[in-house]
Amino acid sequence: MINRRKTKSQIKCFASLERKLLVNEAMVHIKNGNYHKAMCLYDKALDLEPTDNNALIARSKCHLLLGEPQKALQDAENALRHKIKNASIANAMYYKAEALYHLSDFEMSLVYYYRGMKIRPEYGQFRLGVQKAKDAIQNILRKN
């Protein structure tokens, strides 16, 4: 009985380690511009642990870089469903706002930029996001 418990805990430990290695390797591929390869690694990591928020947030970024904002939005929303730390919430909020912006839902992107700015006011990316969403809304209003 004790051997089984050790074996199960060892398997969980190895799976967790493998997932972390996959996510780290994917980050290197993103930095090098290999987005498709990074996407495959994030998919494998999420197969091992579907609620891994770091992988979900990073895959959301990857989807945005590949021009797939709907998929990016879905990953960001999945990450926000789980209880996560403030820094991760801010990142998930940012990628949700970015995805909404790229889907031309400027009002909702503005809402999420503001929510993220409230959580992490020191992140300059939220201020820039607020400004670009406001500019997009004003441009639409000027055209009409």
Side-chain angles (χ1 to χ4, degrees):
M1 190 66 139
I2 294 172
N3 289 338
R4 269 193 186 175
R5 286 185 188 164
K6 281 186 177 179
T7 305
K8 285 182 181 181
S9 67
Q10 287 174 344
I11 290 172
K12 285 182 183 180
C13 182
F14 287 131
S16 175
L17 183 61
E18 182 181 5
R19 180 179 41 82
K20 288 177 184 178
L21 289 172
L22 288 168
V23 170
N24 288 341
E25 186 179 347
M27 286 181 189
V28 171
H29 286 297
I30 284 182
K31 287 179 183 176
N32 293 330
N34 300 325
Y35 306 126
H36 291 288
K37 201 165 197 174
M39 185 71 67
C40 291
L41 293 169
Y42 287 129
D43 289 340
K44 287 180 185 178
L46 288 165
D47 285 343
L48 293 172
E49 179 58 50
T51 61
D52 181 359
N53 288 314
N54 291 329
L56 283 168
I57 293 167
R59 190 170 73 172
S60 178
K61 176 182 179 178
C62 212
H63 280 302
L64 281 173
L65 292 169
L66 290 170
E68 300 169 337
Q70 190 63 45
K71 291 179 181 178
L73 177 62
Q74 185 178 358
D75 280 344
E77 287 176 339
N78 286 338
L80 286 170
R81 283 190 192 116
H82 306 102
K83 292 184 179 181
I84 50 180
K85 297 176 185 174
N86 272 356
S88 295
I89 288 174
N91 287 334
M93 200 80 69
Y94 176 74
Y95 288 113
K96 181 170 183 171
E98 282 289 300
L100 288 165
Y101 181 86
H102 288 284
L103 290 168
S104 300
D105 192 350
F106 304 121
E107 294 88 357
M108 284 307 296
S109 71
L110 182 60
V111 167
Y112 281 96
Y113 285 127
Y114 270 125
R115 286 182 184 174
M117 201 163 65
K118 188 175 180 180
I119 295 169
R120 297 297 294 257
E122 70 275 8
Y123 278 15
Q125 60 198 19
F126 288 118
R127 280 190 293 278
L128 291 173
V130 166
Q131 189 58 49
K132 76 178 179 180
K134 282 182 176 180
D135 289 346
I137 292 168
Q138 288 174 350
N139 287 338
I140 289 171
L141 293 174
R142 283 189 203 127
K143 288 181 183 178
N144 295 333

